[in-house]
Amino acid sequence: MRCTAVFILLLFFSSCSNRTGIPDGIIPLDSMQKIMKDIIEADQFSVQFIARDSLKPDKVKAGQDLMEVIFKIHNITRAEFKASLNFYESRPDLNKKIFDSLMADANRRKPELYLPKPIIKSGKTPVK
């Protein structure tokens, strides 16, 4: 009987927990969306340009430095980001909101990616 009472109390307290709020110390949802967007863009930059740059001998360090710049821009630390990322990964409902917003932003920006690029002719331009 005593085990049943303890089980019921545990069940009661776990059902009363706040599953909709974001705890203190966790980056808010809208800020996390912006940070994740910047991180994805930095990762693409790293893959497309830093990996091919022969002047950068340590590609991994260059990528980590890029991440540190993003953290400074958003006034967060790597530890805060990791804790927030772990929290959002444990909450699929909130994680879905982040990635849905990233997908919507990518779809909004897609037409500008497919615009024709201006052709720059090589050679000297006449000086007047």
Side-chain angles (χ1 to χ4, degrees), residues 5 12 33 36 42 55 59 64 78 88 109 112 124:
F12 174 74
Q33 291 169 346
M36 290 298 291
L55 296 176
K59 314 285 190 230
Q64 290 172 347
R78 181 177 293 272
Y88 286 113
R109 294 177 50 204
E112 74 186 46
K124 295 183 180 181

Side-chain angles (χ1 to χ4, degrees), residues 11-12 16-17 30 53 67-68 76 82 102 112:
L11 185 64
F12 174 74
C16 292
S17 66
D30 58 335
D53 190 356
M67 293 290 286
E68 290 301 324
I76 62 170
K82 281 189 169 238
L102 292 172
E112 74 186 46

Side-chain angles (χ1 to χ4, degrees), residues 14-46:
S14 67
S15 67
C16 292
S17 66
N18 185 0
R19 293 289 294 165
T20 59
I22 296 174
D24 292 338
I26 300 298
I27 299 169
L29 189 65
D30 58 335
S31 297
M32 193 66 173
Q33 291 169 346
K34 293 173 186 172
I35 294 167
M36 290 298 291
K37 178 183 173 199
D38 288 346
I39 287 174
I40 290 169
E41 288 177 351
D43 184 54
Q44 285 299 311
F45 177 79
S46 179

Side-chain angles (χ1 to χ4, degrees), residues 29-41 43 81 84-108:
L29 189 65
D30 58 335
S31 297
M32 193 66 173
Q33 291 169 346
K34 293 173 186 172
I35 294 167
M36 290 298 291
K37 178 183 173 199
D38 288 346
I39 287 174
I40 290 169
E41 288 177 351
D43 184 54
F81 175 74
S84 298
L85 186 62
N86 288 336
F87 170 76
Y88 286 113
E89 286 177 346
S90 72
R91 294 285 308 274
D93 56 328
L94 297 176
N95 202 17
K96 183 176 180 346
K97 286 182 183 180
I98 291 172
F99 285 99
D100 283 350
S101 74
L102 292 172
M103 182 63 78
D105 182 62
N107 287 335
R108 260 192 314 275

